[in-house]
Amino acid sequence: MALADYAMKNIWGGLSSDFRSKNFSLYGQWISILTVFVCLALGIANIFHTSLVFIFSIICIVQGLVVLFVEIPFFLKICPLSENFIGFVKRFDGNLPHCGFYLLNAAIQYLSTVVQATSLLVVAILFTISSACYALAEIKHQDYTTTSLDPLGTNRPTNDLEAQGTDNVVRNVL
């Protein structure tokens, strides 16, 4: 029973507060997290094509992994990565950079339809929707915020990249 209460309070409470906030950058973040799973699944599913689609499926898998680090900065702290990659990901700290990043990813996946129409079109559409959410947040002058979901129950602030996750020590130890 305690586990159910914990899940209701920390996980579902964070989700519901995110969707009630009417902040489009939060909507964009959740769509982007969904896109990570779709990228990995459809990238793997399309890698077995005999046409040039397999190149776009490999790009899709890479895009999914990069989006994972862009949207969940905690992984930057626990995974051993180069400082160049960490600097690249930290440049996307705002609505407009996120919008451009996802629009570029969408354009790359839309190009896959030139070779052959496949399920990678779903990834392109999700990137477009995510980009539109970040664009709407910028147009409405909404602050760039990240999710209030707190599965660990730490009640830490999550407004910026440095406040999420643990200290840099964790990444250095691993």
Side-chain angles (χ1 to χ4, degrees):
M1 186 68 176
L3 182 62
D5 291 338
Y6 178 79
M8 289 299 290
K9 178 183 172 198
N10 292 329
I11 296 174
W12 297 116
L15 279 174
S16 65
S17 67
D18 282 353
F19 289 117
R20 279 184 276 136
S21 71
K22 297 181 182 168
N23 188 328
F24 283 99
S25 68
L26 288 174
Y27 301 154
Q29 182 181 20
W30 280 109
I31 292 168
S32 300
I33 291 171
L34 172 69
T35 306
V36 168
F37 297 110
V38 174
C39 277
L40 295 175
L42 295 180
I44 292 170
N46 285 295
I47 205 163
F48 301 107
H49 279 268
T50 56
S51 64
L52 292 178
V53 172
F54 80 93
I55 294 172
F56 287 101
S57 66
I58 292 170
I59 292 171
C60 185
I61 293 169
V62 171
Q63 285 174 330
L65 294 174
V66 171
V67 168
L68 184 71
F69 288 109
V70 168
E71 292 299 341
I72 307 174
F74 175 72
F75 290 125
L76 290 174
K77 299 190 183 290
I78 63 171
C79 296
L81 300 166
S82 72
E83 292 300 320
N84 290 337
F85 183 76
I86 293 171
F88 169 75
V89 169
K90 286 186 178 184
R91 280 193 274 170
F92 300 109
D93 191 20
N95 289 326
L96 218 49
H98 272 86
C99 176
F101 174 69
Y102 290 120
L103 201 57
L104 177 66
N105 285 336
I108 291 169
Q109 290 305 319
Y110 280 125
L111 284 175
S112 73
T113 60
V114 172
V115 176
Q116 182 179 354
T118 63
S119 57
L120 292 176
L121 184 62
V122 173
V123 174
I125 291 169
L126 285 173
F127 277 139
T128 304
I129 293 170
S130 183
S131 177
C133 286
Y134 282 114
L136 283 170
E138 184 67 29
I139 289 169
K140 290 182 163 237
H141 303 290
Q142 294 175 341
D143 290 332
Y144 169 71
T145 57
T146 57
T147 183
S148 61
L149 181 69
D150 189 18
L152 300 176
T154 57
N155 293 324
R156 291 178 127 182
T158 58
N159 291 0
D160 61 295
L161 293 176
E162 293 300 321
Q164 293 184 358
T166 59
D167 296 326
N168 277 336
V169 176
V170 172
R171 183 170 40 94
N172 292 336
V173 168
L174 294 176

